[in-house]
Amino acid sequence: MNVVTLPLYGSLRRFERLADEFFGVAEAAPSAPAYDIRKTGEDAYRLSLAVPGFTEKDIELVVQDRILSVRGKVEQTESEGWIRRGIAREPFERRFTLGEHVEVKAASLEHGILHIDLAREVPEALKPRTIAITAKAA
């Protein structure tokens, strides 16, 4: 297994920005959650966002015009019983541009990680076809 070590944090940030541009990730506020994108199959991907402290009812996923918006909302209540709250829980929004024919298939929240499963499904009419060549009858 090859391991690539980037010597400087600045280099890592430049690489992350390039990856964001490649995958169409909009510039996010500092409070936006960190995320990973992993290929899980031939045309399947999993987008995972770190959202500690959020529940299913706190998160909204919206797809419109090939833009996937992930929003986390926080309802402030004074009597939550917290003595100390060290895990930041601020409202956020992060947007991702979906590629052509990419659909959101499912979403789940597990141990503070929001998993969004994506699949690229090209319609049959747009897939390449192989045309058989036949000999002309004599």
Side-chain angles (χ1 to χ4, degrees):
M1 177 168 90
N2 293 333
V3 177
V4 177
T5 303
L6 298 175
L8 300 171
Y9 178 74
S11 297
L12 180 59
R13 285 299 308 142
R14 282 192 294 278
F15 179 75
E16 286 177 347
R17 279 195 296 273
L18 286 172
D20 286 350
E21 287 177 24
F22 180 77
F23 283 105
V25 179
E27 193 65 34
S31 63
Y35 68 93
D36 290 336
I37 301 173
R38 184 169 48 108
K39 188 168 182 163
T40 58
E42 176 80 23
D43 286 319
Y45 303 87
R46 176 168 267 190
L47 173 62
S48 299
L49 292 94
V51 292
F54 286 85
T55 64
E56 291 88 348
K57 67 178 181 58
D58 299 328
I59 299 173
E60 177 182 56
L61 299 176
V62 176
V63 177
Q64 182 177 5
D65 297 327
R66 289 183 38 206
I67 303 290
L68 168 62
S69 296
V70 181
R71 296 183 190 104
K73 55 188 189 260
V74 177
E75 294 180 23
Q76 299 293 339
T77 58
E78 304 255 341
S79 60
E80 288 185 1
W82 292 99
I83 295 170
R84 180 184 189 290
R85 186 142 199 176
I87 298 173
R89 193 166 167 257
E90 299 177 19
F92 69 85
E93 180 172 6
R94 191 173 277 277
R95 294 180 183 182
F96 301 88
T97 302
L98 300 176
E100 279 191 85
H101 312 296
V102 174
E103 301 284 330
V104 175
K105 292 300 187 181
S108 61
L109 184 62
E110 180 180 5
H111 305 294
I113 304 292
L114 174 65
H115 298 289
I116 303 169
D117 293 320
L118 308 168
R120 183 169 185 263
E121 296 179 349
V122 178
E124 284 297 321
L126 298 178
K127 288 183 181 177
R129 297 183 303 139
T130 301
I131 309 301
I133 300 172
T134 58
K136 191 170 187 173

